[in-house]
Amino acid sequence: MKKALIPILIIAVVGIFVYTKAVGVYNMFVQNEETINGQWAEVETQYQRRADLIPNLVNTVKGYADFEQETLTGVIEARSKATSINLNADNLTPENIAQFQQAQDQLSGALSRLLVTVERYPDLKANQNFLELQAQLEGTENRIAVARRNFNQSVQSYNSNLRTFPNNIFAGWYGFERKGYFEAAQGAETAPSVQF
């Protein structure tokens, strides 16, 4: 009777261990995903703040009749495209992140062209509304960079946990998948040339 009890106890202990580990890993992944979702919401908030500032900036610049319409149109179109891409926190695949990032990078480029063009308009550069909007836009760009960095740190932690043994076994059972990162824009490795 005692010999039959030993294998049953061993099986029970192993079963309890596996169950406890499986539950712990599942809960860890759920917590990590919620952290990523929170960080993603912060990224979206900062991009929305930038999108909200752009119409005010464009309207301020529009007041200068001889300002290049092509530049303004480019900003408006890039903003429209960037705000049309809605990425759900449950679908943060590398491909979806890249698509979202590409639209945001196009908007950043259009804004850069606008701000460079403004240099030719001394009256506009001295306009108080423009200066305030430009300062808010610069602050927002900094907030975006911080939000993206925090998001990438959360994704890195999640992906590392996902790929380590034995978590990778449990992750496969539960259907947890790798999340995408924000990456540097194409050409970011090349320093811009400045000519005087």
Side-chain angles (χ1 to χ4, degrees), residues 98-184:
Q99 181 185 13
F100 180 83
Q101 182 178 349
Q102 182 181 16
Q104 295 299 333
D105 288 346
Q106 287 175 353
L107 179 55
S108 294
L111 282 172
S112 295
R113 286 188 294 281
L114 173 69
L115 294 177
V116 166
T117 305
V118 163
E119 293 298 317
R120 290 183 270 180
Y121 294 86
D123 291 343
L124 178 57
K125 284 177 25 181
N127 180 297
Q128 190 62 34
N129 284 341
F130 178 78
L131 293 174
E132 288 175 16
L133 287 167
Q134 188 177 17
Q136 287 182 27
L137 195 58
E138 289 170 0
T140 300
E141 292 297 330
N142 289 335
R143 288 184 186 114
I144 288 170
V146 169
R148 286 173 54 155
R149 185 193 69 224
N150 292 342
F151 174 80
N152 278 348
Q153 288 173 343
S154 297
V155 169
Q156 186 270 331
S157 175
Y158 171 84
N159 286 345
S160 294
N161 284 331
L162 187 77
R163 296 180 62 206
T164 57
F165 181 81
N167 295 350
N168 57 352
I169 294 170
F170 294 113
W173 289 353
Y174 297 130
F176 290 103
E177 297 177 356
R178 291 183 71 196
K179 303 289 185 186
Y181 291 97
F182 274 106
E183 297 177 6

Side-chain angles (χ1 to χ4, degrees), residues 21-43:
K21 180 68 176 171
V23 169
V25 168
Y26 178 81
N27 289 338
M28 176 190 62
F29 283 130
V30 168
Q31 289 171 349
N32 286 346
E33 276 194 334
E34 287 303 313
T35 299
I36 290 171
N37 292 347
Q39 293 297 334
W40 179 250
E42 182 61 25
V43 168

Side-chain angles (χ1 to χ4, degrees), residues 67-76 110 113-115 117:
F67 198 84
E68 288 89 350
Q69 278 303 118
E70 182 179 327
T71 305
L72 291 175
T73 302
V75 171
I76 293 166
R113 286 188 294 281
L114 173 69
L115 294 177
T117 305

